[in-house]
Amino acid sequence: EVQLVQSGAEVKKTGESLKISCKGSGYSFISYWIGWVRQMPGKGLEWMGIIYPDDSNTRYSPSFQGQVTISADKSIRTAYLQWSSLKASDTAMYYCARLVGTTVTPFDYWGQGTLVTVSS
Amino acid sequence: EIVLTQSPDTLSLSPGERATLSCRASQSISSSYLAWYQQKPGQAPRLLIYGASSRATGTPDRFSGSGSGTDFSLTISRLEPEDFAVYYCQQYGSSPRTFGQGTKVEI
């Protein structure tokens, strides 16, 4: 069974750094792109970027380029989303999800989400 | 960037009724790279439709997608109680990938 299991909820202060994780199981982790999607409170979905774990090839949405870093450690089947300096506006639910196949495919499997709360 | 506009924002219907949701793109979406997702409160989204009209594994056949170019729709032929949720369209043919703002289907 394909599963993406995300790290737990985080409460941070503005200016702090953070790295959240997404561990894949039940499939060949290195063979599928993994992406991150933001959902701000009460709002819709925003595509942030994707990574190919085998070679760490990464693509970002222009809205998130330079704001976050997506990485992966294929040895432990885990993808990451990190911030170097959090803002209050980063408060959101973050989902990882797997692309069906190539980069021109939708997300088929999703993690349960990681709630990030940033306050001053 | 391709902007996806969904309508209506909210659809108020009863179980057994037919629901038709619209997704309009600001530019033509290549090769019908359009997907629909369902999201229930407190849950992650779930892929329903890809390629504009292909049902994902496990999607009931009361869900159907259609359209091409800039106009797409999702139809739920007869609403079941578990279908009341928010539905998002997404284009994955152009960068950056984008989602519509969502349509809430409520009782």
Side-chain angles (χ1 to χ4, degrees):
Chain A
E1 178 194 6
V2 174
Q3 283 195 308
L4 296 171
V5 178
Q6 298 185 229
S7 50
E10 301 275 0
V11 179
K12 305 293 278 187
K13 300 281 191 190
T14 54
E16 291 185 330
S17 63
L18 176 64
K19 192 173 190 177
I20 62 175
S21 66
C22 169
K23 186 175 179 67
S25 62
Y27 71 100
S28 175
F29 184 75
I30 60 172
S31 301
Y32 289 83
W33 292 82
I34 289 277
W36 290 93
V37 175
R38 183 174 78 174
Q39 188 166 39
M40 299 177 78
K43 302 297 184 183
L45 306 172
E46 299 173 271
W47 195 97
M48 301 177 71
I50 52 174
I51 187 165
Y52 193 68
D54 194 29
D55 60 7
S56 290
N57 185 1
T58 310
R59 319 250 177 113
Y60 292 93
S61 167
S63 299
F64 293 94
Q65 179 86 46
Q67 308 304 308
V68 297
T69 301
I70 295 171
S71 61
D73 184 339
K74 62 184 179 183
S75 69
I76 56 171
R77 307 172 63 89
T78 301
Y80 301 97
L81 178 66
Q82 69 179 92
W83 296 259
S84 58
S85 180
L86 286 160
K87 310 180 190 70
S89 58
D90 293 318
T91 294
M93 181 71 81
Y94 293 88
Y95 294 101
C96 66
R98 188 189 81 163
L99 287 185
V100 172
T102 69
T103 57
V104 282
T105 57
F107 293 118
D108 59 352
Y109 287 92
W110 293 68
Q112 83 277 19
T114 295
L115 181 62
V116 174
T117 304
V118 184
S119 64
S120 53
Chain B
E1 170 175 322
I2 295 180
V3 177
L4 299 179
T5 303
Q6 294 186 238
S7 61
D9 288 333
T10 304
L11 200 51
S12 299
L13 294 168
S14 299
E17 290 192 297
R18 181 184 186 90
T20 302
L21 288 65
S22 172
C23 176
R24 180 161 290 176
S26 59
Q27 307 167 38
S28 184
I29 295 175
S30 57
S31 303
S32 294
Y33 289 140
L34 192 285
W36 290 93
Y37 299 86
Q38 176 194 66
Q39 188 179 32
K40 297 180 182 179
Q43 296 186 18
R46 169 196 169 196
L47 177 65
L48 293 176
I49 300 285
Y50 64 93
S53 61
S54 298
R55 278 187 288 273
T57 303
T59 300
D61 59 9
R62 63 180 179 275
F63 290 90
S64 62
S66 64
S68 63
T70 60
D71 287 295
F72 299 85
S73 62
L74 174 71
T75 300
I76 311 171
S77 58
R78 287 179 55 86
L79 282 163
E80 297 288 341
E82 63 267 28
D83 299 336
F84 292 91
V86 180
Y87 293 84
Y88 295 95
C89 58
Q90 183 216 359
Q91 67 80 20
Y92 50 91
S94 297
S95 293
R97 312 305 193 231
T98 48
F99 289 92
Q101 84 280 10
T103 290
K104 182 178 182 180
V105 178
E106 64 175 23
I107 298 177

